[in-house]
């Protein structure tokens, strides 16, 4: 068995570490004290968005979070992502519409690297917390 760390394994591990940091016990106790779940929205329903983030979070933290919206410019990918993650939430081709209608507490950005900044800035301008798969944009 090789002990070499692959890029895929590294990204998967770091992604879950970041998610665990966001969803740790202090947040859990705050949400429980308020009697509500963290409202999460995901923009970008490609493989990384729905598998590294969406499905895993929905399965591991159903007691403290709920998906309130999925957004992607591809309707087919949205439909598949919703089914794969296993959530019952609205889907949006229009990201701005999702922010207005879903009113998430947290938006996870898993779009193409070149568009991360657009979604992060729009979300922060609405005073909504952001978690991004990679803190970067390519242009």
């Amino acid at each position: 068995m090789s002990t070499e760390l692959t890029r895929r394994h590294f990204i998967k591990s770091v992604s879950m570490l970041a998610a665990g940091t966001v969803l740790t016990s202090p947040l859990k106790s705050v949400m429980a004290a308020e009697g509500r779940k963290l409202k999460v929205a995901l923009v970008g329903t490609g493989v990384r968005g729905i598998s590294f983030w969406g499905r895993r979070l929905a399965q591991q933290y159903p007691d403290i979070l709920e998906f309130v919206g999925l957004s992607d410019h591809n309707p087919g990918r949205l439909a598949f992502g919703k089914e794969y993650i296993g959530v019952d939430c609205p889907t949006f081709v229009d990201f701005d519409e999702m922010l207005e209608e879903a009113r998430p507490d947290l938006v996870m950005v898993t779009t193409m690297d070149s568009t991360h900044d657009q979604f992060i800035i729009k979300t922060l301008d609405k005073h909504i917390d952001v978690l991004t798969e990679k803190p970067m944009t390519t242009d």
Side-chain angles (χ1 to χ4, degrees):
M1 182 168 129
S2 173
T3 58
E4 183 177 326
L5 181 64
T6 65
R7 180 179 185 275
R8 180 179 301 262
H9 184 265
F10 174 78
I11 290 173
K12 184 177 179 180
S13 298
V14 170
S15 297
M16 288 317 296
L17 177 62
T21 301
V22 170
L23 302 170
T24 55
S25 58
L27 176 59
K28 199 171 186 176
S29 61
V30 167
M31 300 308 287
E34 293 179 2
R36 68 180 191 94
K37 294 181 180 182
L38 182 71
K39 297 187 301 183
V40 177
L42 174 72
V43 59
T45 56
V47 172
R48 190 172 291 132
I50 64 173
S51 61
F52 282 1
W53 293 101
R55 185 176 186 167
R56 197 172 287 166
L57 292 178
Q59 289 177 347
Q60 291 183 0
Y61 300 101
D63 55 328
I64 63 170
L65 70 79
E66 67 177 313
F67 278 85
V68 295
L70 301 177
S71 180
D72 198 295
H73 67 274
N74 182 326
R77 207 166 34 210
L78 269 172
F80 177 79
K82 181 177 178 177
E83 182 180 333
Y84 182 82
I85 295 170
V87 293
D88 184 27
C89 66
T91 59
F92 301 87
V93 175
D94 184 314
F95 177 73
D96 296 320
E97 183 182 342
M98 180 185 71
L99 290 181
E100 290 300 318
E101 290 186 23
R103 300 213 178 279
D105 299 313
L106 173 71
V107 172
M108 295 185 301
V109 178
T110 62
T111 59
M112 298 182 309
D113 295 347
S114 62
T115 62
H116 283 183
D117 61 318
Q118 298 168 34
F119 295 106
I120 292 168
I121 290 168
K122 282 183 177 187
T123 303
L124 291 174
D125 282 347
K126 299 271 187 190
H127 305 285
I128 300 169
D129 290 331
V130 177
L131 178 67
T132 184
E133 60 172 328
K134 297 179 252 175
M136 65 175 285
T137 188
T138 57
D139 60 359

